[in-house]
Amino acid sequence: MAAAVCRVGSSVGQVLAKTRSPVLLSLRRGQSSVSYAQSLLGAPETQLTILDNKFRVASEDTGHDTCTVGLWIRAGSRYEREKDYGTCFFLEHMAFKGTKKYSQTALEQQVESMGAHLSAYTSREHTAYYMKTLTKDLPKAVELLSEVVQNCSLNEADIEQQRNVVLHELEEAEGNQQEVCLDLLHATAYQGTPLGQSVMGPSSNAKNVTRQDLVDYINRHYKAPRMVLAAAGGVDHEELVGLAQTHFGGVPFNYEADSIPVPSPCRFTGSEIRMRDDDMPLAHVAIAVETAGVTSPDIVPLMLANAIIGSYDLTYGGDKVGRLHLSLAWFYLYILKKDKLNL
């Protein structure tokens, strides 16, 4: 029933939102008395289109004057082979160093002239490139994203420069005890599998990665069925589909011979890692439990439970938790999610 309400209510909600109806305004003023079904009235409908090459386009139109548009690629560190660990992270650093059409300076000028924000990030499961911009500049934003992803110049001089940057970041990461703790958590929870590796990879790989390694990685992973162009805000879905067809309709969907990268199942093993250093004034502790996959119906209650548990910082103070005086330890409850391939 909730799904039906969502489908029907989405179009109604858009009308209410654009007209600033008293009905919607009264709902916002009385948040505590709004039912789940009523809240869905203001939720925009998610539209999905799949191009002929299996490239997916998804959008939600809120009617705003701004939007966020991005390209999400199923190509994170869990898809890397041992010799490739850290390649996706290195490639992220090369993303905005210039393309075949725009030099780094020209690319930065294009983004600045739009008053936009261009960024990227890499995780264990995927890589993302996205822009926040005015709705009227959506076509230009999609073009720039296409250039960054498909036509990155990968200049040798830039590679050497970014090699030093990556090595410096690896050194800094080693000094961040919280990040080290969470990396160790993955290492023991998914020991012996790609999910147990750090996204940044080892320094030895960063020192030896070549331009050809980066090109091979793109050719191996940047395929249409593994890409999603998603946008939210003032977005017309048909316009977005047209832009996707223009800029991504030619992205290949086939693989050479038997080179289809199929990630091996990443079993959840569990166990324990302790690194004792009595000279440290704090203890960093992380606990993980195996949970439902991101495609499971249980993921929503799980995320709600995660939000309820929340987080604690000693500097907050003033509440009941603050009086526990947890001054000697930071405690993190970290939930590891597994997708269908791992179930």
Side-chain angles (χ1 to χ4, degrees):
M1 180 60 187
V5 172
C6 182
R7 288 195 295 271
V8 175
S10 58
S11 58
V12 175
Q14 291 183 33
V15 174
L16 293 176
K18 291 179 179 180
T19 59
R20 296 188 63 79
S21 165
V23 175
L24 184 59
L25 294 177
S26 64
L27 288 176
R28 289 174 175 171
R29 284 194 294 268
Q31 289 294 331
S32 60
S33 61
V34 174
S35 68
Y36 173 66
Q38 287 174 322
S39 68
L40 291 177
L41 291 175
E45 180 182 5
T46 300
Q47 299 187 70
L48 175 65
T49 298
I50 303 177
L51 304 185
D52 291 340
N53 61 351
K54 306 305 180 183
F55 183 95
R56 285 163 290 175
V57 185
S59 72
E60 288 188 0
D61 182 9
T62 62
H64 295 159
D65 295 327
T66 60
C67 66
T68 297
V69 59
L71 193 68
W72 274 259
I73 308 170
R74 193 169 59 199
S77 60
R78 73 157 297 181
Y79 294 91
E80 296 175 341
R81 297 165 296 186
E82 185 174 354
K83 67 175 184 178
D84 299 328
Y85 287 149
T87 303
C88 62
F89 182 73
F90 199 107
L91 191 59
E92 176 197 332
H93 278 70
M94 297 297 302
F96 309 131
K97 301 305 175 184
T99 71
K100 295 178 181 179
K101 183 177 180 180
Y102 299 103
S103 65
Q104 180 178 351
T105 300
L107 181 62
E108 292 172 351
Q109 289 176 343
Q110 288 287 330
V111 176
E112 290 175 1
S113 67
M114 297 160 57
H117 173 75
L118 174 63
S119 189
Y121 69 87
T122 305
S123 72
R124 286 177 168 83
E125 299 283 357
H126 63 269
T127 299
Y129 303 88
Y130 62 95
M131 285 189 70
K132 300 178 181 179
T133 185
L134 295 173
T135 295
K136 66 180 182 64
D137 293 324
L138 177 64
K140 189 64 177 180
V142 175
E143 180 207 338
L144 293 179
L145 288 172
S146 171
E147 276 292 307
V148 165
V149 172
Q150 298 184 82
N151 298 313
C152 187
S153 60
L154 299 179
N155 182 277
E156 291 283 3
D158 290 332
I159 290 175
E160 292 306 315
Q161 181 187 39
Q162 291 307 304
R163 191 189 310 279
N164 293 328
V165 173
V166 171
L167 289 172
H168 181 67
E169 286 190 19
L170 283 167
E171 185 178 347
E172 286 187 337
E174 286 298 318
N176 185 328
Q177 298 302 322
Q178 177 179 339
E179 293 301 319
V180 170
C181 183
L182 295 180
D183 276 342
L184 290 175
L185 183 71
H186 275 86
T188 189
Y190 292 109
Q191 53 192 276
T193 74
L195 276 182
Q197 299 295 323
S198 166
V199 174
M200 301 175 73
S203 58
S204 58
N205 283 9
K207 292 176 181 177
N208 297 314
V209 66
T210 66
R211 184 182 189 279
Q212 189 59 49
D213 291 332
L214 300 178
V215 172
D216 290 343
Y217 183 87
I218 292 174
N219 292 337
R220 179 176 172 82
H221 295 286
Y222 284 23
K223 302 293 186 179
R226 301 173 67 177
M227 294 182 175
V228 177
L229 180 68
V235 181
D236 179 79
H237 185 71
E238 294 305 319
E239 178 187 13
L240 186 65
V241 171
L243 293 169
Q245 184 64 58
T246 299
H247 297 290
F248 298 101
V251 176
F253 61 90
N254 56 332
Y255 294 83
E256 296 180 3
D258 296 324
S259 64
I260 300 177
V262 179
S264 58
C266 294
R267 65 187 181 280
F268 186 98
T269 303
S271 187
E272 182 182 87
I273 291 181
R274 295 190 185 188
M275 296 181 64
R276 180 165 179 168
D277 185 349
D278 291 336
D279 292 330
M280 291 180 60
L282 301 173
H284 294 261
V285 182
I287 299 176
V289 294
E290 186 177 16
T291 65
V294 294
T295 57
S296 169
D298 293 330
I299 195 64
V300 175
L302 178 63
M303 293 174 68
L304 179 60
N306 188 35
I308 292 174
I309 293 171
S311 60
Y312 169 72
D313 190 316
L314 182 65
T315 60
Y316 291 170
D319 57 9
K320 293 181 180 180
V321 179
R323 291 196 291 272
L324 293 177
H325 301 298
L326 299 179
S327 58
L328 297 180
W330 296 106
F331 187 82
Y332 304 100
L333 178 62
Y334 192 79
I335 297 177
L336 297 178
K337 303 181 182 68
K338 299 170 66 180
D339 59 27
K340 268 189 174 180
L341 294 174
N342 304 322
L343 296 180

